[in-house]
Amino acid sequence: MSATSAFSPTVTGAVAVRVLTQLRRDPRTVAMLVVVPCALQTLLWWMFLDVPTAAGQPGTFDRVGPGLLAIFPFVVMFLVTSVVTLRERSSGTLERLLSMPTGRLDLLVGYAAAFGLAAALQSALAVGVSVGLLGLDVAGPTLLLLVVAVADAVLGTALGLFVSAFAQTEFQAVQFMPLLVIPQILLCGLFVQRDALPAVLGALSDVMPLSYAVDAMQHLATETSTGAVWADVALVAGFALAGLLLGALTLRRRTA
Amino acid sequence: MVNNSARPVVEVRGLTVVRGDHRVLDGLDLDVPSGVTGLLGPSGCGKSTLLRSVVGVQRTAGGSVTVLGQEAGSRPLRDRVGYVTQASSVYDDLTVAENLRFFALVLRLGRSRRELVERVDAAVEAVDLGSHRDQVVGHLSGGQRSRVSLAVALLGEPDLLVLDEPTVGLDPVLRRDLWALFHRIADPVDGQGAAVLVSSHVMDEAERCDRLVLMRDGAVLAVDTPDGVKQRTGTDDVEQAFLRLVEQDGGAAA
């Protein structure tokens, strides 16, 4: 009898391939996943097209655009993951998997890998459209924009996995978005510079992972140095890891 | 291989499960030997809860469940026990073969790609779904879907197969074929000599079992062969026997 270790690359890979196959079976979701961010980015560009820019200042689109590139993968992957995981819980497949030699980490890392890949594709297109077609100015390396986006997507996946444990229906899962995601969007520095927020809100903003993803994107847009960006990416990855570990705690083999 | 003379495959001692204020199972004792054992009783009598405890996914409030000499649900058992729930527990948006391939990988079956394919094909054939192999499960009928679920449970050639109402809603021909399959799996010569524990709320399925466990209100009324149950109660079908046992039980309690 083969020993069943806590983590198996075969099982993790199988989970990732399975999730991607399921996504592929749903072309409408895939289309929305890749088209919607590009369309929204275009809308944003169009909104600010006729707004006059002060001399020597970056245009509004150049200021706000990078932040939005950080928000898409986070929000989308949060929603997709919480619904997919909830479905896995309610269909009985999760119970079956946990009665088999499946490590909890196999499941979580498999999910994160699959959605991270989907997010890479989504972000590549959104970044391509923004920089190539809409003329978004990015001072730093464009590839690093993608790294931030993927870290951000994994963060969304981790948070989605975690909240799915507290929802009994898809309706409830979706309600976690206004609760957990919108405050992060409001306080991430897109509306009010983070250092100009009232002290309490500034402190809140400091413990919200999305703030660091948006910081990283905005830094990349205006500066060529990358040290601060990597520090932000590390923070986002740390939050994502913590989220995955919390998510692992919610996967119980025995339920009532 | 399961040895008939050895200890029972499943040993339940003093099992208690509480849900809210309700004691679903209250100090239940039961031994399940190899062969096909039918767990019969009305809906809501605690059959599913007992089966979930045997598989080790039920949170329990007391007692012990030992399977193949190990604590139920413990790591060494996870590829030796096959489990089919009432929910089909397969992915609707994957094909039959994709589902089986995925679960085969999770069970770490097959050293090579070819062996993996062979395992998947064998499971597909066992439940007679060869012609639906590459169809998406969501497009299959309810009965076909539950057979996909059964195929997943058969993949690892388990020593214990736990099936929660696997024949509900199936047509009589298919039901007969499935019962034949259960006996084949339990056969120590032709099959793998596994213990098969099947629940049903349909009493006429009782005749197809080697042994019956009759259950009501979270307690075991009787454990015997179908003939034994009928003789003991002086009746000629299991449904009558069940009623007689309920009356005796009620009389003793009053």
Side-chain angles (χ1 to χ4, degrees):
Chain A
M1 203 57 50
S2 62
T4 53
S5 58
F7 180 74
S8 147
T10 316
V11 178
T12 305
V15 171
V17 170
R18 187 208 90 209
V19 172
L20 289 173
T21 312
Q22 287 181 292
L23 264 184
R24 222 183 51 214
R25 283 287 142 69
D26 187 357
R28 203 175 299 183
T29 298
V30 174
M32 303 231 316
L33 222 59
V34 294
V35 173
V36 170
C38 295
L40 286 177
Q41 202 69 6
T42 309
L43 177 67
L44 192 73
W45 164 82
W46 198 9
M47 276 163 58
F48 293 114
L49 195 59
D50 294 335
V51 177
T53 306
Q57 291 290 309
T60 318
F61 178 62
D62 284 332
R63 199 166 50 75
V64 181
L68 215 59
L69 283 175
I71 292 174
F72 290 138
F74 176 70
V75 173
V76 172
M77 291 307 153
F78 173 82
L79 279 176
V80 171
T81 313
S82 51
V83 171
V84 167
T85 320
L86 191 70
R87 239 199 262 165
E88 183 120 54
R89 285 178 201 271
S90 55
S91 70
T93 47
L94 185 70
E95 180 166 296
R96 168 168 257 159
L97 282 173
L98 292 177
S99 77
M100 286 180 168
T102 319
R104 292 186 288 188
L105 267 184
D106 295 335
L107 266 180
L108 292 165
V109 176
Y111 265 110
F115 288 134
L117 204 67
L121 176 74
Q122 179 194 51
S123 302
L125 275 161
V127 169
V129 166
S130 305
V131 176
L133 291 178
L134 306 175
L136 183 75
D137 276 329
V138 178
T142 314
L143 208 62
L144 203 48
L145 276 179
L146 273 185
V147 174
V148 178
V150 170
D152 215 18
V154 175
L155 176 71
T157 296
L159 208 58
L161 276 167
F162 178 61
V163 302
S164 77
F166 303 99
Q168 261 101 47
T169 65
E170 269 100 337
F171 289 133
Q172 291 176 7
V174 171
Q175 290 306 317
F176 277 106
M177 194 178 112
L179 185 69
L180 290 175
V181 174
I182 293 186
Q184 297 203 56
I185 295 177
L186 292 179
L187 298 178
C188 72
L190 213 54
F191 293 91
V192 177
Q193 290 287 317
R194 295 214 300 126
D195 48 20
L197 284 169
V200 175
L201 296 184
L204 266 177
S205 169
D206 283 344
V207 295
M208 290 179 167
L210 190 63
S211 306
Y212 298 97
V214 171
D215 276 357
M217 288 293 195
Q218 285 178 336
H219 187 94
L220 275 171
T222 51
E223 319 266 341
T224 51
S225 65
T226 56
V229 176
W230 284 113
D232 284 333
V233 169
L235 265 168
V236 172
F239 274 109
L241 194 68
L244 283 177
L245 291 177
L246 279 176
L249 292 179
T250 69
L251 294 178
R252 300 230 169 264
R253 285 190 200 275
R254 286 179 186 271
T255 52
Chain B
M1 274 297 121
V2 179
N3 189 343
N4 277 327
S5 60
R7 59 195 290 192
V9 178
V10 178
E11 296 160 276
V12 181
R13 295 290 174 269
L15 178 64
T16 302
V17 173
V18 179
R19 198 171 289 135
D21 293 332
H22 179 56
R23 294 179 98 77
V24 185
L25 302 176
D26 196 358
L28 186 137
D29 295 316
L30 179 68
D31 284 344
V32 180
S34 51
V36 178
T37 303
L39 178 59
L40 280 94
S43 287
C45 73
K47 297 189 299 288
S48 295
T49 306
L50 176 57
L51 294 184
R52 280 169 50 82
S53 307
V54 169
V55 176
V57 295
Q58 175 68 51
R59 198 177 298 153
T60 59
S64 70
V65 182
T66 310
V67 175
L68 300 157
Q70 313 262 8
E71 187 198 340
S74 63
R75 189 163 286 187
L77 288 176
R78 285 186 201 144
D79 50 3
R80 297 182 68 191
V81 178
Y83 175 39
V84 178
T85 58
Q86 288 181 52
S88 56
S89 307
V90 286
Y91 298 99
D92 277 350
D93 38 12
L94 298 183
T95 66
V96 174
E98 283 167 348
N99 264 293
L100 288 167
R101 199 188 136 78
F102 169 65
F103 285 110
L105 284 168
V106 170
L107 288 167
R108 297 154 214 224
L109 299 174
R111 299 265 166 266
S112 66
R113 194 172 281 266
R114 222 184 98 201
E115 207 185 318
L116 194 69
V117 173
E118 280 169 7
R119 290 277 201 147
V120 168
D121 287 345
V124 170
E125 288 308 320
V127 296
D128 198 21
L129 279 175
S131 52
H132 300 283
R133 193 179 183 281
D134 296 311
Q135 250 175 293
V136 172
V137 170
H139 295 164
L140 300 178
S141 72
Q144 290 167 334
R145 207 180 301 189
S146 54
R147 275 187 287 157
V148 180
S149 184
L150 179 61
V152 173
L154 296 178
L155 268 175
E157 295 180 351
D159 297 318
L160 169 65
L161 194 55
V162 178
L163 308 164
D164 199 355
E165 310 229 357
T167 57
V168 168
L170 296 186
D171 88 280
V173 178
L174 205 56
R175 252 168 60 181
R176 184 200 58 200
D177 291 352
L178 278 182
W179 279 100
L181 174 66
F182 301 157
H183 281 282
R184 214 160 52 240
I185 293 164
D187 192 308
V189 182
D190 294 338
Q192 54 208 70
V196 181
L197 181 56
V198 193
S199 77
S200 177
H201 66 270
V202 188
M203 292 291 168
D204 64 7
E205 300 212 293
E207 300 289 349
R208 305 181 192 267
C209 304
D210 298 330
R211 184 174 295 262
L212 295 179
V213 177
L214 298 183
M215 234 182 124
R216 187 166 186 269
D217 279 344
V220 172
L221 289 178
V223 183
D224 210 332
T225 60
D227 286 337
V229 172
K230 284 182 280 187
Q231 255 165 35
R232 176 135 60 112
T233 52
T235 53
D236 35 281
D237 70 55
V238 175
E239 177 124 22
Q240 290 299 323
F242 186 87
L243 288 171
R244 190 66 54 84
L245 285 166
V246 171
E247 285 160 16
Q248 286 171 4
D249 197 48

